[in-house]
Amino acid sequence: MKLSDIKKKTPKKIGLALGSGSARGWAHIGVIRALTEAGIHIDCIAGTSIGALVGAVYASGKIDALEDVVVQFDWKQIAYFFDVVLPKSGLIDGKKVSGFIRSHVKEINIEELSVPFCAVSTDMNTGKQVAIRKGDIIEAVRASISVPGIFTPVKKNGSILVDGGLVNPVPVSVAREMGADFVIAVDLNHDIVGKNGLKNTPVTDSENIDPGNIDSGDDTREILTGKNKIFDVLNKRFKAIEIPALTQIREWRAKDPLPNIFEVLISSINIMEMQITETRLKSDPPDLLIQPRLGYLKFLEFNRAKEAIVEGYKETQSSVIELFKGG
């Protein structure tokens, strides 16, 4: 089915499925801008993890304000959001992140939004998907972004909720359940593992596409300086926690160095989500799949929003052009 075919017939309901991807998720902002400029009206949004965050902000009518903030992020601001809280059920408390969400999303219930929205999370007790379409929008987003082992989970109605990427990284099926006849999906996990050519090559603006007020030039010094600073800060905070078991682990690591705990958790999650995404997209393919090339961006490099937004915009423009050619 082509988008042009939809417009020729009875108006259909177009759904947007925004996938998980941590720092790569700022690409969703560029995707939404490109779709808007192409005259594509989004009737409903399903989001997982960072996709839920961006989707909620868009449904709240504040996507431009979010963009203005994130393109100014540096590594110090990112590190501020992450407080190590061992020995709780996650390394990082989500209070500051919740505060950030609250500053960009209307404090209303999901069912009050003008655009139907759903945040996808996972119930740790059952292992099943939880599609949240009612209730506090901030709580729903906070649950959807709760990466296991990194963020503390969210308790809701007797369930322990964590990142929806465990079961449905790109929620095409949820968008269809919301009534979408044509689903546009954004996959940010397709090139995060084993793509050496992309992992070390930043996006360039060689095609001179300038989406609005986005400055596509990279601040190389900022990137090189902040690339590992966030991990350094988290490791220092982690080391400051005095627990006998952790002391023993540090002694073992000193003798036989291994990747730090954050690197192990994040790499494991990346591998898992890439495999799940591939399987889900094969079993339930969207009508239009957008795959920004952002595999080189690391999990916590939220300070590289400009690159992610530009790539999301460019890839969406290209996908929409091809779609209309096919029509």
Side-chain angles (χ1 to χ4, degrees):
M1 184 185 296
K2 298 291 188 294
L3 189 58
S4 51
D5 293 335
I6 288 179
K7 291 189 174 183
K8 291 176 184 176
K9 300 177 181 179
T10 304
K12 300 290 184 177
K13 189 172 183 178
I14 298 177
L16 183 59
L18 300 178
S20 60
S22 191
R24 299 181 299 281
W26 296 143
H28 293 317
I29 298 174
V31 170
I32 290 170
R33 172 171 286 184
L35 292 175
T36 301
E37 290 181 4
I40 298 172
H41 176 73
I42 302 302
D43 297 294
C44 62
I45 303 172
T48 295
S49 198
I50 187 69
L53 193 159
V54 176
V57 173
Y58 174 70
S60 296
K62 295 186 175 183
I63 196 70
D64 291 335
L66 176 66
E67 180 182 334
D68 290 341
V69 170
V70 301
V71 295
Q72 299 298 324
F73 273 163
D74 59 27
W75 70 266
K76 292 180 182 178
Q77 290 171 302
I78 301 302
Y80 165 81
F81 290 110
F82 300 97
D83 280 347
V84 177
V85 294
L86 283 175
K88 294 185 180 179
S89 51
L91 296 176
I92 298 169
D93 200 333
K95 291 181 179 178
K96 291 180 179 178
V97 174
S98 294
F100 175 77
I101 298 170
R102 187 170 290 106
S103 66
H104 291 88
V105 176
K106 294 178 182 178
E107 292 194 56
I108 59 177
N109 287 333
I110 294 174
E111 56 268 34
E112 299 175 63
L113 293 169
S114 57
V115 180
F117 169 75
C118 179
V120 178
S121 60
T122 303
D123 186 344
M124 284 190 65
N125 293 330
T126 65
K128 295 183 178 180
Q129 169 183 288
V130 177
I132 307 175
R133 297 180 61 180
K134 294 182 179 180
D136 183 4
I137 188 171
I138 296 170
E139 181 183 54
V141 173
R142 171 66 178 84
S144 186
I145 66 172
S146 295
V147 180
I150 303 291
F151 286 107
T152 52
V154 170
K155 293 182 179 180
K156 182 179 176 65
N157 299 328
S159 298
I160 306 298
L161 303 181
V162 293
D163 194 331
L166 291 178
V167 291
N168 203 349
V170 185
V172 175
S173 59
V174 177
R176 295 201 191 283
E177 289 168 6
M178 296 174 75
D181 301 296
F182 188 96
V183 177
I184 301 171
V186 186
D187 168 25
L188 303 174
N189 297 321
H190 66 104
D191 66 344
I192 55 177
V193 178
K195 303 291 186 180
N196 295 326
L198 290 175
K199 290 173 75 65
N200 299 314
T201 306
V203 171
T204 59
D205 195 25
S206 57
E207 299 177 40
N208 296 315
I209 296 175
D210 184 13
N213 63 351
I214 298 174
D215 177 7
S216 59
D218 295 338
D219 186 343
T220 305
R221 180 177 299 178
E222 172 66 19
I223 290 173
L224 293 177
T225 301
K227 190 171 183 180
N228 297 311
K229 289 289 186 179
I230 299 171
F231 275 124
D232 290 343
V233 171
L234 293 177
N235 284 329
K236 287 179 181 178
R237 292 176 183 172
F238 181 65
K239 291 176 182 177
I241 300 173
E242 293 300 329
I243 300 176
L246 293 181
T247 301
Q248 183 63 62
I249 291 173
R250 289 171 194 141
E251 291 178 359
W252 291 339
R253 286 190 60 205
K255 297 176 182 177
D256 186 14
L258 293 170
N260 66 56
I261 190 169
F262 297 103
E263 292 170 337
V264 171
L265 284 170
I266 289 167
S267 294
S268 300
I269 291 167
N270 279 343
I271 293 169
M272 175 192 67
E273 291 203 358
M274 186 188 73
Q275 296 293 339
I276 295 173
T277 299
E278 186 177 347
T279 301
R280 294 290 303 231
L281 290 177
K282 284 181 179 178
S283 63
D284 191 9
D287 299 283
L288 174 61
L289 179 62
I290 299 170
Q291 295 180 307
R293 294 168 294 173
L294 291 166
Y296 66 91
L297 278 187
K298 296 186 182 299
F299 190 88
L300 294 179
E301 289 185 318
F302 290 96
N303 53 308
R304 300 177 71 174
K306 290 180 183 179
E307 297 169 66
I309 294 171
V310 167
E311 175 60 17
Y313 180 92
K314 290 167 58 178
E315 189 63 30
T316 303
Q317 269 201 334
S318 175
S319 298
V320 169
I321 289 172
E322 288 300 314
L323 188 68
F324 278 109
K325 282 182 179 179

